[in-house]
Structures are given as C-alpha cells and as structure tokens.
Amino acid sequence: MISLSQLAKIFPTKDGDVTAVDHIDLTIDQGEIFGVIGYSGAGKSTLIRMLNMLEAPTSGAVEVAGRNMNSLSGRKLREARQEIGMIFQHFNLLWSRTVAENIAFPLEIKGVSKAEQKERVDELIELVGLSGRGGSYPSQLSGGQKQRVGIARALANNPKVLLCDEATSALDPKTTDSILDLLVDINQKLGLTIVLITHEMHVIRKICHRVAVMEGGRVVEQGDVLDIFRRPQQAMTKEFVKQVTEPEETEEALRHLFDDERTGSVLQLTFVGGDAQRPLITNIVRKFEVDVSILQGKISQTQHGSYGSLFISVTGPQAEEAIAFMREQQVEVEVIHGG
C-alpha cells in the first residue's frame, strides 16, 4: 500500500544543511494501522508530510496505493491527494463554517453535487458520532468533537489512506481514548490504512499493529507492536516502552528497596499474550520454599494481545530454583537486584 525507498529530506539553513529525514526504507501494508513514534525533532512530521507531497523529498521514492507520488504534479497530484486524507493536532477547521459545511468542503472543491454532498456528509456525521451537531460551529464544540469533524472531513472523498499528524496530542486522556477507538472502528469498517505519528507510546500500544521508532531522522527500530514491547532493542525504544509498562514511581520505589537487606532478589517479569493471565506467582509459592512480594505491575492491551510487566522480590532457600522455574515457563525474567 505504502512504500518508501531511501527517502530523505534536507533543509538548507544559513548554518548549514539539516537532515530531517535520513534515507528511510519503510513498507506499510494495506488495512493496517501503522505508528511512527519519536520525540520532537526526530523527523516524523516531515516524514508523514512527504507521503502526500506536502513536503517534497530531497531524494528517494514514495509510492502510495500504486502511485509514484514523486512523479506527479498539477491535476494528477491533486487527484492522488484525494485518496490520502489527513487530520492534524490543532484540527485546522474553518471557523466560519458549520460542522456539515466543514465536512463538505473537500466535496465542494471536487465539484460534487449538492445532493451528493448532503448524503455523504450525513453518513460521515453519523460515522464519527456527531449526530445532531451538523449545524454547530467549531467554537461550540469540545476538542474531541472538533477532531471528529476533522476525521469526517478527511474521509469525505473516500480515501484509501488516512494520515494522522499528532492527532490526539491536544486532547485529554479520556478524549484521546475515544478518538483512538473511533480510528480503530474506521479502520475495521472501511478497511482504511492509517498512518499516525505521535510521541506517546500509549497511542501506539492502544491501536497500532506495527510501529517504527524514529530518532535523528532515521528509523532505529521497527516491528509488530507486541514484539517491540516484549523485546525493545534500542535505548530510545526502551524509553518509550517504559512510558506504558512502568509507572513513573517504579524506579524510585525499587531503588529504596535495594537498600533493605530483607528484599532479596528483585526481578522484572515480562508476560505476553495468554501468559499474562497465568497464576505463576501462586504456583511458585506452592512449589518452592520461597516468599514472594509483588512490588509493582501492570498489564496493557495491544492490538495483538496483552503485555504484562511485574516487579517482584523473592527470598528463601529455594530462590534460585524458583527463578529457574519461571524461565522454564516462557516468562522473561530479568534480575535487577541481588540474585
């Protein structure tokens, strides 16, 4: 569906050239939700804007839905862009137009008849959960409702691809989740390919099938979301995964325990899929002469299953045997203190 080959973007400045995107190769499959995560300055916004040629690449190739985007200009480029919807962090709505008029705007530009516009707008208002708000103006809407209008407008021309540029960054956590649920619903109902960029791992964890991690203009790691959570390879990826799997106070709490001689071995256990629901701790206590204390833990859901991270302390004469047993159960065990 989307293929990037050695894609690069260099911005000339008075202080020298700045490489925003550094020769990226990437393939995104039809119908998947693909996330690109990175901190500010990583190059992710420039990357997504090159998919619809809002930003022209310095070198490399972009192919979307069978079209070589680099070779298009004028009318053909406008036609190609109609197959690529886009939503933005700050909504980009027309404040003098109602909800219905904002959604109809792309159809007006395309020359669709008034009757067809109304039919399509009514469909989209229902799809995004804004029934009864067609006559409202953006100033009368909440942030989440504004983004729903943005999504409906992006879908007006029945695009094959939806690009989301930090689409939930301006929203509170509860509203963010509702918008993410809507994107999953749209993906499933319409078979739409969704590409989203974010700096929040919660967004990736909740709806993405695969993810690419960007740093310094390059993709430093990519793969299935569950695999990335299970075995992050790069320091940057591990940092992002910790946003979701470890509460902020984990490190401080564990460091305090390290000073207590009674703590014993402190372990981090990682569970994936069905393993997250198994009674592992109960089995260990029954099977071995050990005391187990649960320090902290969290189970998160991804599109491909659950992912759990649990911190425990183990003391007793059979602590080593208990740790060996845990590893035999296909549970990843990292001894972070003692042992």
Side-chain angles (χ1 to χ4, degrees), residues 252-264 266 337:
E252 182 180 346
L254 294 181
R255 190 183 298 113
H256 174 73
L257 289 167
F258 294 164
D259 298 329
D260 189 337
E261 294 181 357
R262 297 169 297 175
T263 299
V266 177
H337 177 74

Side-chain angles (χ1 to χ4, degrees), residues 4 32 77 81 126 169 210 272 304 315:
L4 311 181
E32 79 171 328
L77 179 57
R81 282 175 174 161
E126 184 176 352
S169 295
R210 290 193 299 139
V272 176
H304 291 301
T315 57

Side-chain angles (χ1 to χ4, degrees), residues 8-28:
K9 179 65 180 183
I10 300 172
F11 292 101
T13 72
K14 63 181 181 180
D15 298 319
D17 291 345
V18 175
T19 302
V21 174
D22 192 359
H23 298 89
I24 285 178
D25 293 311
L26 205 59
T27 300
I28 299 170

Side-chain angles (χ1 to χ4, degrees), residues 100 103-104 107 116-125:
I103 297 170
L107 301 172
E116 289 178 292
Q117 284 183 38
K118 185 180 185 309
E119 183 180 355
R120 181 62 177 153
V121 168
D122 288 346
E123 288 176 3
L124 290 168
I125 285 177

Side-chain angles (χ1 to χ4, degrees), residues 195-240:
V195 183
L196 62 86
I197 65 167
T198 183
H199 61 274
E200 300 172 297
M201 200 63 179
H202 165 73
V203 172
I204 300 295
R205 187 271 301 171
K206 186 171 176 66
I207 72 169
C208 293
H209 302 114
R210 290 193 299 139
V211 61
V213 181
M214 285 192 71
E215 182 179 16
R218 301 185 68 86
V219 171
V220 297
E221 190 165 353
Q222 62 175 299
D224 291 343
V225 169
L226 196 57
D227 291 340
I228 292 293
F229 267 76
R230 186 175 187 176
R231 294 190 183 90
Q233 301 298 312
Q234 302 298 318
M236 177 63 67
T237 312
K238 292 176 182 178
E239 195 173 317
F240 279 123

Side-chain angles (χ1 to χ4, degrees), residues 11 80 84 93 100 110 118 144 168 187 204 246 255 274 320:
F11 292 101
I84 307 172
L93 301 180
K110 191 178 180 181
K118 185 180 185 309
T168 60
N187 167 257
I204 300 295
E246 297 181 24
R255 190 183 298 113
E320 289 188 12

Side-chain angles (χ1 to χ4, degrees), residues 47-76:
L47 175 69
I48 202 170
R49 288 170 64 85
M50 286 193 287
L51 297 186
N52 58 3
M53 292 293 136
L54 288 179
E55 201 70 68
T58 302
S59 61
V62 178
E63 184 176 302
V64 179
R67 295 177 189 253
N68 183 340
M69 300 295 291
N70 305 63
S71 65
L72 304 179
S73 61
R75 180 177 58 82
K76 289 187 176 181

